[in-house]
Amino acid sequence: MKKKLNILVIGSGGREHALAWKLASSEECGDIYCMPGSDAISRAARVTGSMAGFREIAAFAAGKDIGMVFVGPEAPLAAGITDTLSSEGVRVFGPCREAARLESSKSFAKEVMDAAGIPTPSWESFDSAPEALDYLRKTDPLKIVIKADGLCGGKGVVLPGSRSEALSAVEGLMRKKTRGEAGSRVIIEERLEGDEVSVLAMVNGNDWSFFPVSRDHKPVYDGDRGPNTGGMGAFAPVFPAEGEFLREVEKRILSPLAGELLERGINYTGILYIGLILTPSGPRVLEFNVRLGDPEAQAVLPLMESDLLVSALGIMEGEAPRLKFREGACVDVVLASGGYPGSYETGFPIYIDKEKIPGDLMLFHSGTRFDDGRYFTAGGRVLNVAALGSTLEEAREKAYRGADAVSFRGKHFRRDIGKGRYKSCRKQ
Ligand code: GLY
């Protein structure tokens, strides 16, 4: 009998809950661990409860006979988890530190895009606060976006509404160090209008396979109003027919990117997330991330027919990825704590009306804890309620039936996740 593979997932949020659930469904999966994990993830995997340094993770992997480490979030990738563990003989699914700079340094990503001729908003980079402030005094604040160069957990992007807002954003990032060293360098880029979509691909150097195109809903209120959040929900697929769109992404973005990286000696392996804005002249890249999106993962993994473990393993053995997805759609609605993304309270009991919840609904936990036989809220984003349907409308109806069947004090969520699917791949 073929030996099953023990797996270690790194992370603790809704994305990692979905990852642990998907990996555990593989016939090839032996014991599955998650570091640090969460109470909810402990239903699918053995959780460690705390995060260790990379050398300790390598020792843990050796002790538990881990055949593959799957890294959920960007921070360990940017800090070189893949490089350290690989040097200790542990197989890791996720790009090396140099490749992870596509996410951990916006100026690096822009430089690579310019060198490869990839369409992206025009940009300037500043290492000096006086020079950045001087530039802002001569620029229309409504036509720019200010970004911290480094990782800020989604909190390093400002779309200023006035010159004083623009100046204080740069003061905050570069002088007051509100985002630490991540804001020592700042990128100021052209602001574009258009719909945004997330294109995820499993990549092995010059080969790749796409996930269905998905969309995250960042602003807190319906109709994309209010402050940005970590994501209030996602759905996939975004386009009724995405073949032509993905061929364009391949030709104009992924193929030149892979070529440019290989020329620089970087063989990208892992998940690549391409954040796109749709403009009249075609898609342009707003950002690259080096992992699955959260909450996009909670919408695309349930659609995946392929075995994620086998596909990831294949990449590490040099195979070209070939992912398959089921027909239909998935909608993931995030239930958040009252006040989120501002200040919020936690510790409220979560009730689920089992009579009303659709049988095949998936609940991926982002911020909960289990105590005395029940779950309590423990974060800003609390639960992901994900549902599959043969149509987007059916998936929406089920997801919202599920969202209504869950209650906790202060619960709020958007009612329009999955609405407004794009008819075409170009902005009209
Ligand atoms: N959904 C956005 C992200 O994962 O960065």
Side-chain angles (χ1 to χ4, degrees):
M1 205 174 78
K2 202 169 154 202
K3 188 170 174 279
K4 295 193 180 226
L5 207 68
N6 293 346
I7 305 292
L8 171 64
V9 176
I10 302 289
S12 62
R15 167 184 49 204
E16 288 75 27
H17 193 186
L19 270 173
W21 162 81
K22 180 66 186 163
L23 289 164
S25 72
S26 168
E27 299 266 326
E28 311 288 323
C29 187
D31 293 335
I32 178 159
Y33 296 84
C34 187
M35 182 181 284
S38 67
D39 289 344
I41 295 176
S42 73
R43 302 289 169 103
R46 300 175 196 199
V47 305
T48 65
S50 60
M51 189 66 195
F54 297 163
R55 300 266 167 216
E56 289 163 282
I57 297 177
F60 177 90
K64 303 289 185 199
D65 193 21
I66 298 291
M68 178 173 70
V69 177
F70 200 116
V71 186
E74 62 278 15
L77 294 166
I81 189 170
T82 305
D83 312 59
T84 306
L85 267 59
S86 306
S87 72
E88 303 269 337
V90 179
R91 259 191 307 215
V92 185
F93 182 75
C96 65
R97 183 185 179 136
E98 185 62 12
R101 288 181 70 211
L102 284 178
E103 179 165 0
S104 65
S105 169
K106 305 243 171 329
S107 53
F108 174 75
K110 285 289 204 182
E111 206 190 284
V112 168
M113 284 191 264
D114 284 355
I118 294 170
T120 186
S122 59
W123 62 290
E124 301 279 343
S125 149
F126 298 91
D127 290 312
S128 127
E131 281 175 26
L133 294 167
D134 195 42
Y135 180 85
L136 290 178
R137 286 188 198 100
K138 294 183 242 150
T139 311
D140 181 346
L142 302 181
K143 296 207 167 134
I144 54 155
V145 180
I146 300 168
K147 295 182 172 175
D149 187 62
L151 293 182
C152 294
K155 299 197 174 86
V157 178
V158 180
L159 280 75
S162 64
R163 177 154 295 126
S164 67
E165 241 178 84
L167 294 170
S168 78
V170 164
E171 285 280 353
L173 286 170
M174 300 188 87
R175 289 209 166 119
K176 296 189 191 132
K177 301 275 183 209
T178 49
R179 302 283 166 215
E181 283 313 303
S184 299
R185 174 179 293 162
V186 152
I187 302 295
I188 302 179
E189 76 174 24
E190 171 193 13
R191 192 185 305 189
L192 297 177
E193 296 291 328
D195 293 319
E196 292 180 27
V197 296
S198 310
V199 174
L200 303 168
M202 190 178 271
V203 179
N204 187 7
N206 240 333
D207 290 303
W208 47 79
S209 185
F210 289 108
F211 289 75
V213 180
S214 53
R215 182 180 169 201
D216 178 7
H217 298 255
K218 285 250 172 222
V220 67
Y221 302 126
D222 286 15
D224 284 339
R225 289 172 304 108
N228 269 351
T229 67
M232 293 299 286
F235 72 100
V238 164
F239 305 117
E242 59 188 16
E244 187 199 338
F245 177 72
L246 288 176
R247 276 193 294 282
E248 185 174 3
V249 171
E250 187 163 69
K251 182 163 157 245
R252 299 181 67 192
I253 298 163
L254 201 36
S255 184
L257 175 70
E260 179 64 28
L261 291 177
L262 286 169
E263 226 164 81
R264 292 171 186 236
I266 301 170
N267 184 47
Y268 193 102
T269 55
I271 303 288
L272 180 72
Y273 170 131
I274 310 172
L276 292 173
I277 185 159
L278 310 180
T279 75
S281 58
R284 291 218 242 167
V285 178
L286 293 180
E287 62 176 354
F288 289 126
N289 295 322
V290 297
R291 34 83 194 170
L292 286 167
D294 185 342
E296 289 93 331
Q298 294 90 305
V300 296
L301 290 175
L303 287 167
M304 191 172 181
E305 257 174 10
S306 307
D307 185 318
L308 178 61
L309 190 161
V310 172
S311 308
L313 201 62
I315 295 263
M316 285 176 294
E317 286 171 358
E319 291 169 17
R322 291 289 168 262
L323 305 181
K324 282 206 187 123
F325 295 86
R326 53 185 286 163
E327 295 288 315
C330 185
V331 171
D332 172 53
V333 178
V334 170
L335 308 182
S337 290
Y340 174 80
S343 60
Y344 55 84
E345 284 181 67
T346 60
F348 300 119
I350 300 171
Y351 302 96
I352 299 178
D353 186 339
K354 295 217 167 71
E355 303 278 297
K356 292 201 183 133
I357 211 149
D360 55 352
L361 199 83
M362 290 154 282
L363 288 177
F364 299 123
H365 293 229
S366 292
T368 67
R369 73 183 163 78
F370 192 74
D371 197 14
D372 207 15
R374 84 163 41 252
Y375 280 104
F376 291 83
T377 64
R381 287 188 297 165
V382 177
L383 276 170
N384 293 262
V385 183
L388 288 165
S390 53
T391 62
L392 186 62
E393 292 63 37
E394 188 188 325
R396 286 193 77 240
E397 187 278 321
K398 270 164 71 180
Y400 278 106
R401 212 155 17 102
D404 287 327
V406 177
S407 54
F408 54 84
R409 195 193 303 170
K411 175 186 89 166
H412 74 93
F413 59 101
R414 281 182 59 159
R415 280 270 169 204
D416 61 350
I417 306 300
K419 265 199 179 161
R421 176 189 243 185
Y422 310 133
K423 292 195 178 54
S424 114
C425 307
R426 287 195 188 263
K427 192 147 176 65
Q428 302 299 301

